[in-house]
Coordinates of all heavy atoms in Angstrom, one line a residue:
M1 N 16.5 0.4 -4.4 CA 15.1 0.0 -4.3 C 14.3 0.4 -5.6 O 14.1 1.7 -5.8 CB 14.5 0.7 -3.1 CG 13.3 0.1 -2.6 SD 11.8 1.1 -2.7 CE 12.4 2.6 -1.6
T2 N 14.0 -0.5 -6.4 CA 13.4 -0.1 -7.7 C 12.1 -0.9 -7.9 O 11.4 -0.5 -8.9 CB 14.4 -0.4 -8.9 OG1 14.7 -1.8 -8.9 CG2 15.5 0.4 -8.8
S3 N 11.8 -1.8 -7.1 CA 10.6 -2.6 -7.5 C 9.7 -2.8 -6.3 O 10.0 -2.5 -5.1 CB 11.1 -4.1 -7.9 OG 11.6 -4.8 -6.8
I4 N 8.4 -3.3 -6.7 CA 7.6 -3.5 -5.4 C 8.1 -4.5 -4.5 O 8.2 -4.2 -3.2 CB 6.2 -4.0 -5.9 CG1 5.6 -3.0 -7.0 CG2 5.3 -4.4 -4.9 CD1 4.4 -3.4 -7.6
R5 N 8.7 -5.5 -5.0 CA 9.4 -6.5 -4.0 C 10.4 -5.9 -3.4 O 10.5 -6.3 -2.1 CB 9.8 -7.7 -4.9 CG 10.5 -8.7 -4.0 CD 10.6 -10.1 -4.6 NE 9.4 -10.7 -5.0 CZ 9.0 -11.0 -6.3 NH1 9.8 -10.7 -7.3 NH2 7.8 -11.4 -6.4
E6 N 11.2 -5.1 -3.8 CA 12.4 -4.6 -3.1 C 11.9 -3.6 -2.0 O 12.4 -3.6 -0.8 CB 13.3 -3.9 -4.0 CG 14.2 -4.8 -4.7 CD 15.1 -4.2 -5.9 OE1 14.7 -3.1 -6.4 OE2 16.1 -4.8 -6.2
F7 N 10.8 -2.8 -2.3 CA 10.2 -1.9 -1.3 C 9.6 -2.8 -0.1 O 9.9 -2.5 1.0 CB 9.1 -1.1 -1.9 CG 8.5 0.0 -0.9 CD1 9.2 0.9 -0.5 CD2 7.2 -0.3 -0.4 CE1 8.6 1.7 0.5 CE2 6.6 0.5 0.4 CZ 7.3 1.6 0.9
Q8 N 8.9 -3.8 -0.5 CA 8.4 -4.7 0.5 C 9.4 -5.3 1.4 O 9.3 -5.3 2.7 CB 7.5 -5.7 -0.1 CG 6.7 -6.6 1.0 CD 5.7 -7.6 0.5 OE1 5.6 -7.7 -0.8 NE2 5.1 -8.3 1.3
E9 N 10.6 -5.8 0.8 CA 11.7 -6.3 1.6 C 12.3 -5.2 2.6 O 12.7 -5.5 3.7 CB 12.7 -6.9 0.6 CG 12.2 -8.2 0.1 CD 13.2 -8.8 -1.0 OE1 14.1 -8.1 -1.4 OE2 12.8 -9.9 -1.6
L10 N 12.5 -4.0 2.0 CA 13.0 -3.0 2.8 C 12.1 -2.7 4.0 O 12.6 -2.5 5.2 CB 13.1 -1.6 2.0 CG 13.7 -0.4 2.7 CD1 15.0 -0.7 3.2 CD2 13.5 0.8 1.8
M11 N 10.8 -2.6 3.8 CA 9.8 -2.4 5.0 C 10.0 -3.6 6.0 O 9.9 -3.4 7.1 CB 8.4 -2.4 4.4 CG 8.2 -1.0 3.6 SD 8.3 0.5 4.5 CE 10.0 1.1 3.9
R12 N 10.2 -4.8 5.4 CA 10.4 -5.9 6.3 C 11.6 -5.7 7.2 O 11.6 -5.9 8.4 CB 10.4 -7.3 5.4 CG 10.7 -8.4 6.4 CD 10.9 -9.6 5.5 NE 9.8 -10.2 4.9 CZ 8.8 -10.9 5.4 NH1 9.0 -11.2 6.6 NH2 7.7 -11.2 4.7
A13 N 12.8 -5.4 6.5 CA 14.1 -5.2 7.2 C 13.8 -4.0 8.3 O 14.4 -4.3 9.4 CB 15.1 -4.9 6.3
I14 N 13.2 -3.1 8.0 CA 13.1 -1.9 8.9 C 12.0 -2.3 10.1 O 12.2 -1.9 11.2 CB 12.7 -0.7 8.3 CG1 13.8 -0.3 7.2 CG2 12.5 0.5 9.2 CD1 13.3 1.0 6.3
Y15 N 10.9 -2.8 9.6 CA 9.8 -2.8 10.6 C 9.2 -4.2 11.0 O 8.2 -4.2 12.0 CB 8.6 -1.9 10.0 CG 8.9 -0.5 9.8 CD1 8.9 0.0 8.5 CD2 9.1 0.3 10.9 CE1 9.1 1.4 8.3 CE2 9.4 1.7 10.7 CZ 9.4 2.2 9.4 OH 9.7 3.5 9.3
Y16 N 9.7 -5.3 10.4 CA 9.0 -6.5 10.6 C 8.8 -6.9 12.2 O 7.8 -7.4 12.7 CB 9.6 -7.6 9.9 CG 8.7 -8.9 10.0 CD1 7.6 -9.1 9.3 CD2 9.1 -10.0 10.8 CE1 6.8 -10.1 9.4 CE2 8.3 -11.2 10.9 CZ 7.2 -11.2 10.1 OH 6.3 -12.4 10.3
E17 N 9.9 -6.6 12.9 CA 9.9 -7.1 14.3 C 8.8 -6.3 15.0 O 8.0 -6.8 15.8 CB 11.3 -6.8 14.9 CG 11.5 -7.5 16.3 CD 10.9 -6.8 17.5 OE1 11.0 -5.4 17.4 OE2 10.5 -7.3 18.3
R18 N 8.8 -5.0 14.8 CA 7.8 -4.2 15.4 C 6.4 -4.5 14.7 O 5.4 -4.6 15.7 CB 8.0 -2.6 15.1 CG 9.2 -2.1 15.8 CD 9.7 -0.8 15.2 NE 8.7 0.2 15.4 CZ 8.6 1.1 16.5 NH1 9.4 1.0 17.5 NH2 7.6 2.0 16.5
D19 N 6.2 -4.8 13.6 CA 5.0 -5.1 13.2 C 4.5 -6.5 13.6 O 3.1 -6.5 13.9 CB 5.1 -5.2 11.5 CG 5.2 -4.0 10.7 OD1 5.0 -2.9 11.4 OD2 5.7 -3.9 9.6
S20 N 5.3 -7.3 13.9 CA 4.9 -8.6 14.5 C 4.4 -8.4 15.9 O 3.5 -9.0 16.3 CB 6.1 -9.6 14.5 OG 6.5 -10.0 13.1
R21 N 5.0 -7.6 16.7 CA 4.5 -7.4 18.0 C 3.2 -6.5 17.9 O 2.3 -6.9 18.9 CB 5.5 -6.5 18.7 CG 6.7 -7.4 19.2 CD 7.6 -6.4 20.4 NE 8.5 -5.7 19.6 CZ 8.8 -4.4 20.0 NH1 8.3 -3.9 21.0 NH2 9.7 -3.8 19.3
R22 N 3.0 -5.7 16.9 CA 1.6 -5.0 16.8 C 0.5 -5.8 16.4 O -0.6 -5.9 16.9 CB 1.8 -3.8 15.8 CG 0.6 -3.0 15.9 CD 0.7 -1.8 14.8 NE 2.0 -1.2 14.8 CZ 2.9 -1.5 13.9 NH1 2.7 -2.2 13.0 NH2 4.1 -0.8 14.0
G23 N 0.9 -6.8 15.5 CA -0.2 -7.7 15.0 C -0.9 -7.3 13.8 O -0.9 -6.1 13.5
I24 N -1.7 -8.2 13.1 CA -2.3 -7.9 11.8 C -3.4 -7.0 12.0 O -3.5 -5.8 11.2 CB -2.9 -9.2 11.3 CG1 -1.8 -10.0 10.7 CG2 -3.8 -8.9 10.1 CD1 -2.2 -11.5 10.4
E25 N -4.3 -7.0 13.1 CA -5.5 -6.1 13.1 C -5.0 -4.7 13.4 O -5.6 -3.7 12.8 CB -6.4 -6.7 14.3 CG -7.2 -7.9 13.8 CD -8.1 -8.4 14.8 OE1 -8.5 -7.7 15.8 OE2 -8.6 -9.6 14.7
R26 N -4.1 -4.6 14.4 CA -3.7 -3.1 14.7 C -2.9 -2.5 13.5 O -3.0 -1.3 13.3 CB -3.0 -3.1 16.1 CG -3.9 -3.3 17.1 CD -3.2 -3.4 18.4 NE -2.2 -2.3 18.8 CZ -1.1 -2.5 19.4 NH1 -0.7 -3.6 19.9 NH2 -0.3 -1.4 19.6
T27 N -2.1 -3.2 12.8 CA -1.5 -2.8 11.6 C -2.5 -2.5 10.6 O -2.3 -1.4 9.9 CB -0.4 -3.9 11.1 OG1 0.6 -4.1 12.2 CG2 0.3 -3.5 9.8
F28 N -3.6 -3.2 10.4 CA -4.6 -2.8 9.4 C -5.1 -1.5 9.9 O -5.5 -0.7 8.9 CB -5.6 -3.9 9.2 CG -6.7 -3.6 8.3 CD1 -6.5 -3.6 7.0 CD2 -8.0 -3.2 8.9 CE1 -7.6 -3.1 6.1 CE2 -9.0 -2.8 8.0 CZ -8.8 -2.7 6.7
M29 N -5.4 -1.3 11.0 CA -6.0 -0.1 11.6 C -5.1 1.2 11.2 O -5.6 2.3 10.9 CB -6.3 -0.1 13.1 CG -7.5 -1.0 13.4 SD -8.9 -0.8 12.4 CE -9.5 0.8 12.7
W30 N -3.8 1.0 11.3 CA -2.9 2.1 11.0 C -2.9 2.4 9.6 O -2.9 3.5 9.1 CB -1.4 1.7 11.5 CG -1.1 2.1 12.8 CD1 -1.0 1.3 13.9 CD2 -0.8 3.3 13.1 NE1 -0.7 1.9 15.0 CE2 -0.6 3.4 14.6 CE3 -0.8 4.7 12.6 CZ2 -0.3 4.4 15.3 CZ3 -0.4 5.7 13.4 CH2 -0.1 5.6 14.6
L31 N -3.0 1.3 8.7 CA -3.3 1.6 7.3 C -4.5 2.4 6.9 O -4.4 3.3 6.2 CB -3.3 0.2 6.4 CG -3.6 0.2 5.1 CD1 -2.7 1.1 4.2 CD2 -3.9 -1.2 4.5
V32 N -5.7 2.1 7.6 CA -6.9 2.7 7.4 C -6.6 4.2 7.9 O -7.2 5.2 7.2 CB -7.9 2.1 8.3 CG1 -9.1 3.0 8.3 CG2 -8.3 0.7 7.6
Q33 N -5.9 4.4 9.0 CA -5.7 5.8 9.4 C -4.8 6.6 8.4 O -5.2 7.8 8.1 CB -4.9 5.8 10.8 CG -4.5 7.2 11.2 CD -4.2 7.4 12.6 OE1 -4.8 6.8 13.4 NE2 -3.1 8.1 12.9
E34 N -3.8 6.0 7.7 CA -3.0 6.6 6.8 C -3.9 6.9 5.6 O -3.7 8.0 4.9 CB -1.9 5.8 6.4 CG -0.8 5.6 7.5 CD -0.3 7.0 8.0 OE1 -0.3 8.0 7.3 OE2 0.3 6.9 9.1
V35 N -4.9 6.2 5.2 CA -5.8 6.4 4.1 C -6.6 7.6 4.4 O -6.8 8.5 3.6 CB -6.7 5.1 3.8 CG1 -7.8 5.5 2.7 CG2 -5.8 4.1 3.3
G36 N -7.0 7.7 5.7 CA -7.7 8.9 6.1 C -6.9 10.3 6.0 O -7.4 11.3 5.6
E37 N -5.7 10.1 6.4 CA -4.8 11.2 6.2 C -4.5 11.6 4.8 O -4.5 12.8 4.4 CB -3.4 11.0 6.9 CG -3.4 10.8 8.4 CD -2.1 10.4 9.0 OE1 -1.0 10.3 8.3 OE2 -2.1 10.1 10.1
L38 N -4.5 10.6 3.9 CA -4.4 10.9 2.4 C -5.7 11.7 2.0 O -5.6 12.6 1.1 CB -4.2 9.6 1.7 CG -4.2 9.6 0.1 CD1 -3.2 10.6 -0.4 CD2 -3.9 8.3 -0.5
S39 N -6.8 11.2 2.4 CA -8.0 11.8 2.1 C -8.1 13.3 2.4 O -8.4 14.1 1.7 CB -9.3 11.1 2.8 OG -10.4 11.8 2.7
R40 N -7.6 13.6 3.6 CA -7.7 15.0 4.1 C -6.6 15.8 3.4 O -6.9 16.9 3.0 CB -7.3 15.1 5.6 CG -8.4 14.5 6.6 CD -8.3 14.8 7.9 NE -7.3 13.9 8.6 CZ -7.5 12.6 9.0 NH1 -8.7 12.2 8.8 NH2 -6.6 11.9 9.6
A41 N -5.5 15.1 3.0 CA -4.5 15.9 2.1 C -5.0 16.3 0.8 O -4.9 17.3 0.3 CB -3.1 15.1 1.9
I42 N -5.7 15.3 0.2 CA -6.4 15.6 -1.2 C -7.4 16.7 -1.0 O -7.5 17.5 -1.9 CB -7.0 14.2 -1.7 CG1 -5.9 13.3 -2.0 CG2 -7.9 14.5 -2.9 CD1 -6.3 11.9 -2.4
L43 N -8.3 16.6 0.0 CA -9.3 17.7 0.1 C -8.7 19.0 0.4 O -9.3 20.0 -0.1 CB -10.3 17.2 1.4 CG -11.1 16.2 1.1 CD1 -11.8 15.7 2.4 CD2 -12.1 16.4 -0.1
R44 N -7.5 19.1 1.0 CA -6.8 20.4 1.2 C -5.9 20.8 0.0 O -5.4 21.8 -0.2 CB -6.0 20.4 2.4 CG -6.5 20.2 3.6 CD -5.5 20.7 4.8 NE -4.3 19.9 4.6 CZ -3.9 18.7 5.2 NH1 -4.8 18.2 5.8 NH2 -2.8 18.2 4.9
N45 N -5.9 19.7 -1.1 CA -5.2 20.0 -2.2 C -3.6 20.3 -1.8 O -3.0 21.2 -2.5 CB -5.7 21.1 -3.1 CG -5.1 21.0 -4.6 OD1 -4.7 19.9 -5.1 ND2 -5.2 22.1 -5.3
D46 N -3.2 19.6 -0.8 CA -1.8 20.0 -0.3 C -0.8 19.0 -1.0 O -0.7 17.8 -0.5 CB -1.7 19.9 1.2 CG -0.4 20.0 1.8 OD1 0.6 20.0 1.1 OD2 -0.3 20.2 3.1
R47 N -0.2 19.4 -2.1 CA 0.5 18.5 -3.0 C 1.6 17.7 -2.3 O 1.8 16.5 -2.4 CB 1.1 19.3 -4.1 CG 1.7 18.4 -5.1 CD 0.6 18.1 -6.3 NE 1.1 16.9 -7.0 CZ 0.3 16.2 -7.7 NH1 -0.9 16.4 -7.9 NH2 0.7 15.2 -8.4
E48 N 2.4 18.4 -1.4 CA 3.4 17.9 -0.7 C 3.1 16.9 0.3 O 3.7 15.8 0.3 CB 4.4 19.0 0.0 CG 5.7 18.5 0.6 CD 6.5 19.7 0.8 OE1 6.5 20.7 0.0 OE2 7.4 19.4 1.6
N49 N 1.9 17.2 1.1 CA 1.4 16.3 1.9 C 0.8 15.0 1.3 O 0.9 13.9 1.8 CB 0.4 16.8 2.8 CG 0.1 16.2 4.0 OD1 -1.1 16.1 4.5 ND2 1.0 15.5 4.8
I50 N 0.1 15.2 0.1 CA -0.4 14.1 -0.6 C 0.7 13.1 -0.9 O 0.5 11.9 -0.7 CB -1.1 14.6 -2.0 CG1 -2.3 15.3 -1.6 CG2 -1.4 13.3 -2.8 CD1 -3.0 16.0 -2.8
E51 N 1.9 13.5 -1.4 CA 3.0 12.7 -1.6 C 3.4 11.8 -0.4 O 3.7 10.7 -0.5 CB 4.1 13.6 -2.1 CG 4.2 13.8 -3.6 CD 5.5 14.3 -4.1 OE1 6.5 14.2 -3.4 OE2 5.5 14.9 -5.2
E52 N 3.5 12.6 0.7 CA 3.9 11.9 2.0 C 3.0 10.8 2.4 O 3.3 9.7 2.8 CB 4.0 12.8 3.1 CG 5.2 13.9 3.0 CD 5.0 15.1 4.1 OE1 4.1 15.0 4.9 OE2 6.0 15.8 4.2
E53 N 1.6 11.1 2.2 CA 0.6 10.3 2.7 C 0.6 9.0 1.7 O 0.2 7.9 2.1 CB -0.7 10.9 2.8 CG -0.8 12.0 3.8 CD -0.3 11.6 5.4 OE1 -0.2 10.4 5.6 OE2 0.2 12.6 6.1
V54 N 0.8 9.2 0.4 CA 0.9 8.1 -0.5 C 2.0 7.2 -0.1 O 1.8 5.9 0.0 CB 1.1 8.7 -1.9 CG1 1.6 7.5 -2.9 CG2 -0.2 9.3 -2.5
A55 N 3.1 7.8 0.3 CA 4.2 6.9 0.8 C 3.8 6.1 2.0 O 4.0 5.0 2.2 CB 5.4 7.8 1.0
D56 N 3.0 6.9 2.9 CA 2.7 6.2 4.2 C 1.7 5.1 3.9 O 1.9 3.9 4.5 CB 2.0 7.2 5.1 CG 3.0 8.2 5.9 OD1 4.1 7.9 5.8 OD2 2.5 9.2 6.4
V57 N 0.7 5.2 3.0 CA -0.2 4.2 2.7 C 0.5 3.0 2.1 O 0.2 1.8 2.5 CB -1.2 4.7 1.7 CG1 -2.0 3.5 1.0 CG2 -2.3 5.8 2.4
L58 N 1.4 3.2 1.3 CA 2.1 2.1 0.6 C 3.0 1.4 1.6 O 3.1 0.2 1.8 CB 2.9 2.6 -0.5 CG 3.5 1.5 -1.5 CD1 2.3 0.9 -2.2 CD2 4.4 2.1 -2.6
A59 N 3.7 2.2 2.6 CA 4.5 1.5 3.6 C 3.7 0.6 4.5 O 4.0 -0.4 4.8 CB 5.2 2.5 4.3
W60 N 2.4 1.2 5.0 CA 1.7 0.4 5.8 C 1.1 -0.7 5.3 O 0.9 -1.8 5.8 CB 0.6 1.2 6.5 CG 1.2 2.1 7.6 CD1 1.6 3.3 7.5 CD2 1.5 1.7 9.0 NE1 2.2 3.9 8.9 CE2 2.0 2.7 9.6 CE3 1.3 0.4 9.6 CZ2 2.4 2.6 11.0 CZ3 1.7 0.3 10.9 CH2 2.2 1.4 11.6
L61 N 0.7 -0.6 3.9 CA 0.1 -1.8 3.1 C 1.3 -2.8 3.0 O 1.0 -4.1 3.2 CB -0.2 -1.4 1.7 CG -0.8 -2.5 0.8 CD1 -2.1 -3.1 1.4 CD2 -1.1 -1.9 -0.5
A62 N 2.6 -2.4 2.8 CA 3.6 -3.4 2.9 C 3.8 -4.1 4.1 O 4.0 -5.4 4.2 CB 4.9 -2.7 2.4
S63 N 3.7 -3.4 5.2 CA 3.9 -4.0 6.6 C 2.7 -5.0 6.7 O 2.9 -6.1 7.3 CB 3.6 -3.0 7.6 OG 5.0 -2.2 7.8
L64 N 1.5 -4.6 6.3 CA 0.4 -5.5 6.5 C 0.7 -6.9 5.7 O 0.3 -7.9 6.1 CB -0.9 -4.9 6.1 CG -2.2 -5.7 6.1 CD1 -2.5 -6.0 7.6 CD2 -3.3 -5.0 5.5
C65 N 1.1 -6.7 4.4 CA 1.4 -7.8 3.6 C 2.5 -8.7 4.1 O 2.4 -9.9 4.1 CB 1.7 -7.4 2.1 SG 0.3 -6.7 1.3
N66 N 3.5 -8.2 4.7 CA 4.5 -8.9 5.3 C 4.0 -9.7 6.5 O 4.3 -10.9 6.7 CB 5.5 -8.0 6.0 CG 6.6 -7.4 4.9 OD1 6.7 -8.2 3.9 ND2 7.2 -6.3 5.0
L67 N 3.0 -9.2 7.4 CA 2.5 -10.0 8.4 C 1.6 -11.0 7.9 O 1.4 -12.2 8.3 CB 1.6 -9.1 9.2 CG 2.4 -8.1 10.1 CD1 1.5 -7.2 11.0 CD2 3.4 -8.9 11.1
L68 N 1.0 -10.9 6.7 CA 0.0 -11.7 6.1 C 0.6 -12.8 5.3 O -0.1 -13.7 4.8 CB -1.1 -11.0 5.3 CG -2.2 -10.1 6.1 CD1 -2.9 -9.3 5.2 CD2 -3.0 -11.1 6.9
G69 N 2.0 -12.6 5.0 CA 2.7 -13.5 3.9 C 2.3 -13.3 2.7 O 2.2 -14.3 1.8
I70 N 1.9 -12.1 2.2 CA 1.5 -11.8 0.9 C 2.6 -11.1 0.1 O 3.2 -10.0 0.6 CB 0.3 -10.8 0.9 CG1 -0.9 -11.4 1.5 CG2 0.0 -10.4 -0.6 CD1 -1.6 -12.5 0.8
D71 N 3.1 -11.7 -1.0 CA 4.1 -11.0 -1.9 C 3.4 -10.1 -2.7 O 2.6 -10.4 -3.7 CB 4.7 -12.2 -2.7 CG 5.9 -11.6 -3.6 OD1 5.6 -10.6 -4.3 OD2 7.0 -12.1 -3.5
M72 N 3.6 -8.8 -2.5 CA 2.8 -7.7 -3.2 C 3.1 -7.7 -4.7 O 2.2 -7.6 -5.5 CB 3.2 -6.3 -2.6 CG 2.7 -6.1 -1.2 SD 3.4 -4.6 -0.4 CE 2.4 -3.3 -1.3
E73 N 4.2 -7.9 -5.1 CA 4.5 -8.0 -6.6 C 3.8 -9.1 -7.2 O 3.2 -8.9 -8.3 CB 6.1 -8.1 -6.7 CG 6.4 -7.9 -8.2 CD 7.9 -7.4 -8.4 OE1 8.4 -6.4 -7.8 OE2 8.6 -8.2 -9.0
N74 N 3.9 -10.2 -6.6 CA 3.2 -11.5 -7.3 C 1.6 -11.2 -7.3 O 1.1 -11.5 -8.3 CB 3.3 -12.7 -6.4 CG 4.7 -13.4 -6.6 OD1 5.4 -13.0 -7.6 ND2 5.1 -14.3 -5.7
A75 N 1.2 -10.5 -6.3 CA -0.3 -10.4 -6.1 C -0.7 -9.3 -7.3 O -1.7 -9.5 -7.9 CB -0.7 -9.7 -4.7
V76 N 0.1 -8.3 -7.4 CA -0.2 -7.2 -8.5 C -0.2 -7.8 -9.9 O -1.1 -7.7 -10.6 CB 0.7 -6.1 -8.3 CG1 0.6 -5.2 -9.6 CG2 0.4 -5.3 -7.0
I77 N 1.0 -8.5 -10.1 CA 1.1 -9.2 -11.5 C 0.0 -10.1 -11.8 O -0.5 -10.4 -12.9 CB 2.5 -9.9 -11.5 CG1 3.5 -8.7 -11.6 CG2 2.6 -10.6 -12.9 CD1 5.0 -9.2 -11.5
K78 N -0.4 -11.0 -10.7 CA -1.4 -12.0 -11.0 C -2.8 -11.4 -11.2 O -3.5 -11.8 -12.1 CB -1.5 -12.8 -9.6 CG -2.4 -14.0 -9.7 CD -2.3 -14.9 -8.4 CE -3.6 -15.8 -8.1 NZ -3.5 -16.4 -6.9
K79 N -3.1 -10.3 -10.6 CA -4.4 -9.6 -10.7 C -4.3 -8.7 -12.0 O -5.4 -8.7 -12.7 CB -4.7 -8.9 -9.4 CG -6.1 -8.0 -9.7 CD -7.2 -8.5 -8.9 CE -8.5 -7.9 -9.4 NZ -9.3 -7.4 -8.3
Y80 N -3.3 -8.0 -12.3 CA -3.1 -7.1 -13.3 C -2.0 -7.5 -14.3 O -0.9 -6.9 -14.3 CB -2.9 -5.7 -12.8 CG -4.1 -5.2 -12.0 CD1 -4.1 -5.4 -10.5 CD2 -5.2 -4.6 -12.6 CE1 -5.1 -4.9 -9.8 CE2 -6.3 -4.1 -11.8 CZ -6.3 -4.3 -10.4 OH -7.3 -3.9 -9.7
P81 N -2.3 -8.6 -14.9 CA -1.2 -9.2 -15.9 C -1.1 -8.3 -17.2 O -1.0 -8.9 -18.3 CB -1.7 -10.6 -16.2 CG -3.2 -10.4 -16.2 CD -3.5 -9.4 -15.2
G82 N -0.9 -6.9 -17.1 CA -0.7 -6.2 -18.4 C -1.8 -5.7 -19.0 O -1.7 -5.1 -20.1
R83 N -3.1 -5.8 -18.5 CA -4.3 -5.4 -19.0 C -5.3 -5.2 -18.0 O -5.2 -5.8 -16.9 CB -4.7 -6.3 -20.2 CG -5.1 -7.6 -19.8 CD -5.3 -8.6 -20.9 NE -4.0 -8.9 -21.7 CZ -3.1 -9.7 -21.1 NH1 -3.3 -10.3 -20.1 NH2 -1.9 -9.8 -21.8
C84 N -6.5 -4.6 -18.4 CA -7.6 -4.6 -17.4 C -8.0 -6.1 -17.1 O -8.4 -6.8 -18.1 CB -8.8 -3.8 -17.9 SG -10.2 -3.8 -16.9
P85 N -8.1 -6.4 -15.9 CA -8.6 -7.9 -15.4 C -10.0 -8.1 -15.9 O -10.4 -9.2 -15.9 CB -8.3 -7.8 -14.1 CG -8.2 -6.6 -13.5 CD -7.7 -5.7 -14.6
K86 N -10.8 -7.1 -16.0 CA -12.2 -7.2 -16.4 C -12.5 -7.3 -17.9 O -13.2 -8.4 -18.4 CB -13.1 -6.3 -15.6 CG -13.3 -6.6 -14.2 CD -14.3 -5.5 -13.5 CE -14.3 -5.8 -12.0 NZ -14.7 -4.6 -11.3
C87 N -12.2 -6.3 -18.7 CA -12.5 -6.3 -20.0 C -11.3 -6.7 -20.9 O -11.4 -7.0 -22.1 CB -12.9 -4.9 -20.4 SG -11.5 -3.7 -20.3
G88 N -10.0 -6.9 -20.3 CA -8.9 -7.4 -21.0 C -8.4 -6.3 -21.9 O -7.4 -6.7 -22.8
S89 N -8.7 -5.1 -21.9 CA -8.3 -4.1 -22.9 C -7.3 -3.3 -22.2 O -7.1 -3.0 -21.1 CB -9.5 -3.2 -23.3 OG -10.3 -4.1 -24.1
I90 N -6.4 -2.6 -23.1 CA -5.5 -1.4 -22.8 C -5.8 -0.4 -23.8 O -5.5 -0.6 -25.0 CB -4.0 -1.9 -22.9 CG1 -3.8 -3.2 -22.2 CG2 -3.2 -0.6 -22.4 CD1 -2.3 -3.7 -22.4
P91 N -6.3 0.9 -23.4 CA -6.8 1.0 -22.0 C -8.3 0.4 -21.7 O -8.8 -0.1 -22.6 CB -7.1 2.6 -22.0 CG -7.3 2.9 -23.4 CD -6.6 2.1 -24.3
C92 N -8.6 0.3 -20.5 CA -9.8 -0.3 -20.0 C -11.1 0.2 -20.8 O -11.0 1.6 -21.0 CB -10.0 0.0 -18.5 SG -11.6 -0.4 -17.9
R93 N -11.9 -0.6 -21.1 CA -13.2 -0.2 -21.9 C -14.4 -0.5 -20.9 O -15.5 -0.4 -21.5 CB -13.3 -0.9 -23.2 CG -12.3 -0.5 -24.2 CD -12.8 -0.8 -25.6 NE -11.7 -0.5 -26.6 CZ -10.8 -1.2 -27.1 NH1 -10.6 -2.4 -26.5 NH2 -9.9 -0.8 -27.9
C94 N -14.2 -0.8 -19.7 CA -15.2 -1.0 -18.8 C -16.2 0.2 -18.6 O -15.6 1.4 -18.8 CB -14.8 -1.6 -17.4 SG -13.9 -3.1 -17.4
D95 N -17.4 0.1 -18.2 CA -18.3 1.3 -17.8 C -17.6 1.9 -16.8 O -17.2 1.4 -15.8 CB -19.6 0.7 -17.6 CG -20.5 0.3 -18.7 OD1 -20.1 0.6 -19.9 OD2 -21.4 -0.6 -18.5
L96 N -17.7 3.3 -16.8 CA -17.2 4.1 -15.8 C -17.9 4.0 -14.5 O -19.1 4.1 -14.5 CB -17.1 5.6 -16.2 CG -16.2 6.6 -15.5 CD1 -14.8 6.2 -15.5 CD2 -16.4 8.0 -16.0
K97 N -17.2 3.9 -13.4 CA -17.8 3.8 -12.1 C -17.7 5.1 -11.3 O -16.7 5.8 -11.5 CB -17.3 2.6 -11.2 CG -17.8 1.3 -11.7 CD -17.2 0.2 -10.6 CE -16.1 -0.6 -11.2 NZ -15.7 -1.8 -10.5
Ligands
MG101 MG1 0.6 9.7 7.3
ZN102 ZN1 -11.8 -2.9 -18.2

């Protein structure tokens, strides 16, 4: 497993049947919950848990994309084709937000 597409396919193989029964809205709510867990791990500066929660967020995002029929790798390359999509620079020169 080395690419975004392969990770999404792995999540499909493991979880698609369960994800389908849960549905898009409840799967999205799980993704939001995992983002909350990542937030708490960052606030505690718990390095090991931050890593785990990053993995959870990506896994739930992949599950959601599988249900929505979104190819994550295509979506990422389309929006971020090798440079900042707003200013077109590497590194980005947009005003800091
Ligand atoms: Mg978690
Ligand atoms: Zn930029």
